[in-house]
Amino acid sequence: MKSYPIAAPDIGALEAQYVLEAVESGWISSIGKFVTRFEDEFAAFSGAAHGVSMTNGTDALRIAMRAMGIGAGDEVIVPALSFIAVHASVVDCGAVPVMVDIDERHWCLDPSLVAKAIGPRTKAIVAVHSYGHPADMDALREAIGDREIFLIEDAAESHGAKYKGRTVGSLGDAAGFSFYGNKLLTTGEGGIMLTNDAELAERTRFLRDHAMDKDRRYFHPEVGYNCRLTNIQAAIGCAQIERADELIGRKNDLFGLYERHSADLPFVKLNPAEEWAEPVNWLTCAVLEPEYAHLRDDLCAALKEKGVDTRPFFIPAFEMPPYADYPVFHNAETLDKTVSSEISQRGFNLPTLTDMDESDVAYIAEAVASSFEAVSGNASQSQSAG
Ligand SMILES: *Cc1c(COP(=O)(O)O)cnc(C)c1O
């Protein structure tokens, strides 16, 4: 039987060569030529002026927020539906995450609800570019108006995606990226904070490096962190950046194949694409039509039997105990439930691997079709059996 994991890093000879170079140079900790090269090259790739590499994407977000002075008493607007690192990093700063529903058209923050959620304590908005699709940055800027509110991009799922022709990572006051093993580009574990603001970059770097005084060794005027990337990880990252167009391009081509085969899958919709967006295919997403929502978990279990790994969509943060009491902004006066809950219950991810070809997609699409038939048949039988 064929077997498809949901995602896998694409690591080749160039990565191995750079890692060997790093190891043989003796610079295996967080100083070394690959670290600075990685920071400069990834910033350039994303169109930003400065890059501060990090242990992971979560640290990039929380240390950027610390560097912005976000803390107790502040509110940070975040999408209700995203990976929990977003909500956790706000709480970690001592601030309140204000959860705003997503827009069903692109699964990112709904700007009209953000406008309602902004209050006197709002210090920042974290715009997640969700599942490869950019957030509507201009509409979010408009919601902010002339207030002093930071607009932070979380581009962990969207390396190289474009918003109105501009690459994500350079569109806000700062951006966080992840290079975890399942992301579009990887360093194993790793992250980076990008910004065009030299002072913010320097302050982020300072907090990342134990908040040590630049001019007085072992003097620490603030409480800092140690969240540095190693030269070995950065070596992998440099190779991935050289291969970025190839790696991202292959997954985008793969999405084209999925789209073609989705003609046989009328019960799902794949990833959205607004006309102002050039999304990237981090993970291929399938969202069941509303009437089939209850079949999602059975469908994924049946796919597992056929060797096709899937993931359910993220769960809205307000459904989880640590976040249940924070404010939520949604349109539930006009809807039965939040868009976040709705999409969350109906969505799942399909294998998205750089080495998949037409025959792989054909196998998976056929597996989805036959599994759907099986589980919907079972469901109607058990209903009629009553
Ligand atoms: C993966 C991810 C992160 C966290 O990145 P790590 O490197 O795993 O810490 C943050 N935000 C979003 C939206 C993500 O998908």
Side-chain angles (χ1 to χ4, degrees):
M1 188 177 73
K2 298 197 183 196
S3 170
Y4 298 96
I6 188 86
D10 182 327
I11 300 294
L14 193 62
E15 285 81 354
Q17 180 195 325
Y18 287 177
V19 166
L20 192 63
E21 254 179 65
V23 170
E24 285 179 344
S25 74
W27 295 97
I28 58 166
S29 199
S30 49
I31 299 174
K33 70 168 191 185
F34 286 113
V35 176
T36 39
R37 181 172 149 190
F38 175 71
E39 291 179 339
D40 293 346
E41 289 185 354
F42 191 73
F45 172 80
S46 304
H50 309 280
V52 183
S53 57
M54 293 278 176
T55 29
N56 56 58
T58 311
D59 288 335
L61 280 181
R62 73 188 177 117
I63 297 178
M65 284 192 267
R66 273 280 317 270
M68 290 167 173
I70 293 167
D74 295 331
E75 293 180 356
V76 177
I77 291 175
V78 294
L81 187 72
S82 184
F83 184 54
I84 205 64
V86 181
H87 316 84
S89 54
V90 174
V91 174
D92 188 76
C93 286
V96 170
V98 174
M99 291 168 275
V100 168
D101 207 3
I102 57 168
D103 186 318
E104 64 183 338
R105 288 171 298 186
H106 49 68
W107 307 344
C108 302
L109 277 173
D110 180 334
S112 63
L113 290 173
V114 168
K116 289 186 193 161
I118 291 175
R121 290 167 188 266
T122 308
K123 199 73 185 278
I125 297 172
V126 181
V128 179
H129 304 306
S130 194
Y131 289 114
H133 194 293
D136 191 351
M137 298 299 285
D138 286 350
L140 293 172
R141 272 273 177 236
E142 207 171 298
I144 290 173
D146 54 13
R147 282 173 282 219
E148 279 189 30
I149 296 173
F150 291 103
L151 182 54
I152 303 170
E153 294 173 84
D154 182 342
E157 305 171 358
S158 300
H159 312 64
K162 291 198 167 106
Y163 174 73
K164 299 184 180 173
R166 295 151 66 207
T167 310
V168 302
S170 56
L171 309 177
D173 298 299
F177 284 82
S178 166
F179 298 94
Y180 181 63
N182 73 0
K183 300 288 161 98
L184 279 152
L185 303 176
T186 185
T187 58
E189 291 275 4
I192 200 168
M193 176 271 200
L194 300 184
T195 181
N196 290 323
D197 179 338
E199 224 171 284
L200 184 63
E202 195 178 333
R203 187 161 160 70
T204 303
R205 196 176 292 280
F206 159 79
L207 288 173
R208 182 199 64 177
D209 296 348
H210 297 291
M212 183 154 74
D213 195 294
K214 202 157 86 273
D215 303 315
R216 189 172 170 203
R217 228 174 155 71
Y218 302 124
F219 185 79
H220 307 270
E222 290 180 55
V223 177
Y225 304 90
N226 172 7
C227 289
R228 295 177 299 235
L229 192 74
T230 70
N231 198 43
I232 301 173
Q233 293 169 308
I236 299 175
C238 288
Q240 292 268 295
I241 295 169
E242 274 183 53
R243 298 177 58 216
D245 290 344
E246 171 208 340
L247 295 170
I248 295 167
R250 280 205 199 164
K251 286 200 175 182
N252 286 344
D253 292 347
L254 175 66
F255 185 67
L257 295 176
Y258 268 113
E259 268 193 318
R260 252 201 283 147
H261 283 273
S262 72
D264 302 329
L265 310 172
F267 47 88
V268 292
K269 281 205 174 63
L270 302 185
N271 307 49
E274 289 290 276
E275 65 199 11
W276 39 261
E278 286 170 58
V280 286
N281 186 30
W282 169 48
L283 285 175
T284 307
C285 300
V287 176
L288 286 161
E289 294 298 343
E291 62 270 36
Y292 305 125
H294 61 290
L295 298 175
R296 199 261 317 261
D297 294 346
D298 286 349
L299 175 60
C300 291
L303 282 166
K304 187 99 201 148
E305 301 275 295
K306 296 189 158 84
V308 178
D309 196 15
T310 59
R311 289 285 179 284
F313 268 24
F314 299 125
I315 299 166
F318 55 75
E319 292 182 15
M320 293 181 261
Y323 307 97
D325 294 332
Y326 290 117
V328 184
F329 282 80
H330 56 84
N331 256 331
E333 317 89 65
T334 50
L335 302 170
D336 292 352
K337 50 177 154 173
T338 64
V339 177
S340 296
S341 314
E342 180 69 25
I343 299 288
S344 164
Q345 286 162 18
R346 286 157 43 199
F348 59 101
N349 301 112
L350 287 164
T352 311
L353 306 162
T354 50
D355 62 358
M356 281 169 55
D357 62 19
E358 172 92 48
S359 66
D360 300 310
V361 175
Y363 176 87
I364 291 168
E366 171 16 58
V368 173
S370 58
S371 301
F372 178 79
E373 203 173 314
V375 299
S376 55
N378 287 347
S380 56
Q381 263 168 32
S382 62
Q383 261 168 28
S384 55

